[in-house]
Amino acid sequence: MEPSLEIERKFLVTTLPDLAAASRSSLRQGYLTVPEDSVEVRLRQTDGTFILCVKSGEGIVRGEREIEISEAQFQLLWPQTEGRRVEKTRWTGGLDQGLTFELDIFGGALAPLMMVEVEFRSEAEAHQFVAPDWFGRDVSTDRRFGNKSLALSGASFIRELSGG
Amino acid sequence: MEPSLEIERKFLVTTLPDLAAASRSSLRQGYLTVPEDSVEVRLRQTDGTFILCVKSGEGIVRGEREIEISEAQFQLLWPQTEGRRVEKTRWTGGLDQGLTFELDIFGGALAPLMMVEVEFRSEAEAHQFVAPDWFGRDVSTDRRFGNKSLALSGASFIRELSGG
């Protein structure tokens, strides 16, 4: 697999924009394993697609292996991810200059977190980007807002963040 | 799930009996996880049936959850179980007094181990059982011959056993 370089910026959101022209999808993922385990087994749902993903980080056989499972199978295994989940509604829409935003509204233990990501074609474009009014604090370099970090330790952090 | 009590005895086998009347199946299982992990994820094949099994031993949500997967999916994940496998051909046949034997001929890292199990309807029957000539040493109480133990540490042990 070629390493793919993503140039993106990520912002908190406190006020929702007009989403009439945006498209909606449901995403959730949860970990069957804990970070200390020898292997990572993750469940992921994107709308009607259900994936079980096994990722190993050491030994002779390494890599990421995914199988598509049925919704019923997903539902059977999902309880096992309790406490290690990210559930969100993603709105994808357009910005000026042909840019696309992905606005994630988190549910479950991570509510009321909202975050928006924009991907750029170059570093220059990323630096020049003027964020719309509804974009909040830039958290691009804050690792606590990564997917895995949110799944595993996001809940208490989000409560702090929202002053709870 | 009701706990089910099995009364069985297990013997090593060095000489194969006549298997003309016995039925054959292929079994293999392998662990994606190691024993120290927080969860046990196991793959299991019985002839044309492929299962992924997740077993958790602690926390609020515990138990064993199984999903049936396709052969292609099984093959994709199987390399991940390297070093933690049991592969065997099982011959099931009849003995005197309506008893059934299950003779396991191990392959892979556990060859040339052969083992036979007989299940009984009562403890008395188990004690009275007179083993056929082709049954070798009784290993009923030897935990090293359990499935999990064989998968995780059987290979070196079997080499010792067979004088290798």
Side-chain angles (χ1 to χ4, degrees):
Chain A
M1 207 166 62
E2 288 284 307
S4 73
L5 190 62
E6 287 185 326
I7 306 168
E8 53 188 25
R9 290 178 66 182
K10 194 187 294 188
F11 303 80
L12 295 183
V13 171
T14 48
T15 315
L16 286 179
D18 178 4
L19 294 170
S23 68
R24 181 189 187 285
S25 64
S26 289
L27 302 171
R28 52 178 173 157
Q29 64 176 331
Y31 293 85
L32 292 169
T33 46
V34 301
E36 295 74 26
D37 290 344
S38 65
V39 67
E40 178 183 299
V41 186
R42 196 169 83 230
L43 297 175
R44 195 176 74 234
Q45 173 184 6
T46 307
D47 296 322
T49 304
F50 302 87
I51 302 286
L52 181 143
C53 178
V54 176
K55 192 173 180 177
S56 66
E58 50 187 350
I60 296 165
V61 186
R62 60 162 80 202
E64 195 160 321
R65 295 151 201 276
E66 293 191 349
I67 62 174
E68 186 170 344
I69 58 179
S70 70
E71 177 167 8
Q73 293 178 326
F74 184 93
Q75 299 293 5
L76 185 76
L77 298 178
W78 183 252
Q80 192 68 52
T81 64
E82 172 89 52
R84 295 180 301 280
R85 294 176 183 164
V86 167
E87 302 174 78
K88 59 192 179 188
T89 300
R90 169 167 291 179
W91 291 92
T92 304
L95 295 173
D96 291 342
Q97 285 142 353
L99 293 170
T100 297
F101 71 81
E102 288 180 338
L103 166 65
D104 289 334
I105 302 178
F106 291 79
L110 297 174
L113 178 63
M114 297 192 291
M115 224 159 58
V116 65
E117 271 184 37
V118 180
E119 193 170 339
F120 302 95
R121 287 148 291 198
S122 69
E123 279 193 62
E125 192 179 47
H127 286 300
Q128 285 153 20
F129 178 64
V130 179
D133 284 347
W134 58 276
F135 279 42
R137 177 152 69 91
D138 187 336
V139 293
S140 303
T141 57
D142 191 333
R143 298 175 64 93
R144 296 173 300 178
F145 291 96
N147 245 327
K148 193 164 178 173
S149 170
L150 286 174
L152 300 172
S153 53
S156 56
F157 159 56
I158 297 307
R159 273 196 302 274
E160 270 171 52
L161 194 76
S162 45
Chain B
M1 203 166 64
E2 288 284 306
S4 74
L5 191 63
E6 288 186 325
I7 307 169
E8 53 188 23
R9 289 178 67 183
K10 193 187 294 189
F11 303 82
L12 295 182
V13 170
T14 48
T15 315
L16 287 179
D18 179 5
L19 295 170
S23 68
R24 180 188 186 287
S25 66
S26 290
L27 303 171
R28 52 177 174 157
Q29 64 175 330
Y31 294 85
L32 291 169
T33 47
V34 301
E36 295 73 28
D37 289 345
S38 66
V39 66
E40 178 183 297
V41 186
R42 197 168 82 231
L43 297 175
R44 195 174 75 234
Q45 174 185 5
T46 307
D47 296 325
T49 304
F50 303 86
I51 301 287
L52 181 143
C53 177
V54 177
K55 193 174 180 177
S56 68
E58 49 185 350
I60 295 166
V61 185
R62 59 162 81 202
E64 194 161 320
R65 296 152 202 272
E66 293 191 349
I67 62 173
E68 187 171 344
I69 58 178
S70 71
E71 177 168 7
Q73 294 178 324
F74 184 93
Q75 300 292 5
L76 184 76
L77 298 178
W78 182 252
Q80 193 67 52
T81 64
E82 173 86 52
R84 297 179 300 279
R85 294 175 182 165
V86 168
E87 302 174 78
K88 61 193 178 187
T89 300
R90 169 166 290 179
W91 292 91
T92 305
L95 296 172
D96 292 343
Q97 286 144 352
L99 293 169
T100 297
F101 72 82
E102 288 180 339
L103 166 64
D104 289 336
I105 303 179
F106 291 79
L110 297 173
L113 178 64
M114 297 194 289
M115 225 160 56
V116 64
E117 272 184 36
V118 180
E119 194 170 339
F120 302 95
R121 288 148 291 199
S122 69
E123 279 194 61
E125 191 179 47
H127 287 299
Q128 284 152 22
F129 177 64
V130 178
D133 285 346
W134 59 276
F135 279 44
R137 178 153 68 91
D138 186 336
V139 293
S140 305
T141 57
D142 191 333
R143 298 175 64 94
R144 295 173 302 177
F145 291 97
N147 245 328
K148 193 164 178 174
S149 171
L150 285 175
L152 299 173
S153 53
S156 57
F157 160 56
I158 296 306
R159 275 197 300 276
E160 271 171 49
L161 194 76
S162 46

